[in-house]
């Protein structure tokens, strides 16, 4: 399987980690021309997984495919309830963490323009989402159940750049 992505993509990191847990080997392609991606996927978004059966776009869909293909890896949860809870936290991650984190961090690293009002809102939103996580994890080790799931992977990947770049100790207080 080939994973088409951009270098340093936290979204691709989720897929790579899920593949490692699922025992799947991925060939990583970071320099594919946009025209090639557009031919492989009608939405032309990265990351994009090319399998023998067809292509899958969007990191969470790709990771779910890999996890469901190898249910013994445990990343989907152990029960139908845990599976739904994993999906719930992954959705929380996509909407409540990734969006504000990107709006705050991307201008700093030059991946998008800076908009003061949007950045200030993103800071507040990200901090509020982190408070939700802290409250949920107060007496837990894992987001769902008693072992690592894709929810843990998604949350860790979404928070990597913010903690490296903007969420220093002073900012977290």
């Amino acid at each position: 399987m080939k994973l088409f992505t951009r270098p340093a993509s936290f979204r691709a990191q989720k897929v790579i980690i899920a593949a490692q847990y699922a025992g799947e080997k991925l060939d990583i392609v970071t320099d594919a021309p946009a025209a090639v991606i557009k031919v492989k996927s009608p939405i032309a978004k990265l990351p994009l997984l090319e399998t023998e059966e067809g292509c899958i776009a969007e990191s969470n869909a790709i990771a779910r495919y890999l996890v469901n293909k190898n249910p013994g890896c445990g990343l989907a949860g152990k029960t139908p309830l845990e599976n739904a809870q994993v999906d719930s936290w992954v959705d929380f991650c996509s909407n409540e963490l990734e969006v504000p984190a990107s709006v705050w961090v991307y201008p700093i690293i030059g991946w998008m323009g800076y908009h003061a009002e949007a950045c200030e809102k993103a800071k507040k939103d990200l901090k509020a989402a982190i408070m939700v996580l802290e409250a949920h994890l107060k007496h837990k080790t894992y987001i769902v159940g008693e072992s690592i799931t894709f929810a843990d992977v998604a949350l860790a990947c979404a928070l990597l750049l913010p903690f490296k770049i903007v969420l220093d100790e002073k900012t977290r207080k």
Side-chain angles (χ1 to χ4, degrees), residues 21-32:
Y21 269 89
E24 294 288 341
K25 183 183 179 315
L26 298 177
D27 294 320
I28 312 291
V29 180
T30 59
D31 58 355

Side-chain angles (χ1 to χ4, degrees), residues 77-123:
K78 291 184 168 79
T79 67
L81 175 63
E82 282 187 6
N83 183 271
Q85 290 172 332
V86 168
D87 285 348
S88 177
W89 280 105
V90 170
D91 288 348
F92 172 86
C93 178
S94 293
N95 298 311
E96 307 301 323
L97 292 174
E98 290 178 10
V99 171
S102 297
V103 171
W104 188 3
V105 172
Y106 283 9
I108 294 168
I109 59 178
W111 288 1
M112 68 183 255
Y114 175 75
H115 303 285
E117 198 173 304
C119 188
E120 286 307 309
K121 182 173 179 350
K123 288 177 186 180

Side-chain angles (χ1 to χ4, degrees), residues 29 40 65 129 134 136 161 170:
V29 180
K40 294 181 181 299
Y65 167 79
E134 286 183 2
H136 180 74
L161 282 178
K170 181 183 172 193

Side-chain angles (χ1 to χ4, degrees), residues 32-52:
V36 170
I37 301 304
K38 196 168 188 171
V39 167
K40 294 181 181 299
S41 171
I43 61 174
K45 286 201 162 207
L46 297 177
L48 175 75
L49 182 69
E50 182 178 54
T51 74
E52 290 179 7

Side-chain angles (χ1 to χ4, degrees), residues 11 14-15 47 57-65 90-91 93-94 98 150 154:
R11 289 180 175 92
K14 293 188 283 190
V15 173
E58 300 289 351
S59 59
N60 293 333
I62 295 167
R64 284 182 180 113
Y65 167 79
V90 170
D91 288 348
C93 178
S94 293
E98 290 178 10
F150 182 61

Side-chain angles (χ1 to χ4, degrees), residues 3-18 26 28 46-47 59 157:
L3 179 66
F4 296 89
T5 185
R6 289 183 177 80
S9 167
F10 73 88
R11 289 180 175 92
Q13 284 302 118
K14 293 188 283 190
V15 173
I16 293 165
I17 293 168
L26 298 177
I28 312 291
L46 297 177
S59 59
C157 290

